[in-house]
Amino acid sequence: RLRMELVTAAAECRQAVEMLLDLHGLSGFVEDNRLQRFWRDIAVGTRHPQLNRYITVEDYGRILLDAEPPVASIL
């Protein structure tokens, strides 16, 4: 359950940075702009297997159904 909340928080952070870039305009993607660096770092960080929404939902379902071992424990 904690991982589900963590994945949701990571996705909301990613959406917030996307919104900031939308509001900032094209200059937000200039390499010297700090916002571009934050956008890139969050985009890479939220793609970590522990923050992957699909794997987390599958693991949560397996735990609830007492099925096979969670996928994340295999990674």
Side-chain angles (χ1 to χ4, degrees):
R1 184 174 173 194
L2 178 63
R3 273 188 57 212
M4 291 289 292
E5 292 179 17
L6 182 63
V7 167
T8 301
E12 288 175 0
C13 287
R14 191 172 175 179
Q15 289 172 351
V17 171
E18 289 283 338
M19 187 181 298
L20 283 172
L21 277 169
D22 287 344
L23 295 172
H24 201 273
L26 190 58
S27 63
F29 291 99
V30 175
E31 200 166 312
D32 294 342
N33 194 327
R34 285 184 277 168
L35 186 57
Q36 189 266 358
R37 188 185 78 221
F38 295 143
W39 169 70
R40 187 180 60 233
D41 290 348
I42 286 179
V44 170
T46 56
R47 284 178 172 78
H48 187 277
Q50 291 294 328
L51 296 175
N52 186 309
R53 179 176 300 276
Y54 305 109
I55 293 174
T56 303
V57 168
E58 184 175 341
D59 285 350
Y60 192 56
R62 287 176 186 221
I63 289 169
L64 288 176
L65 297 173
D66 197 28
E68 302 171 17
V71 174
S73 65
I74 299 169
L75 296 176

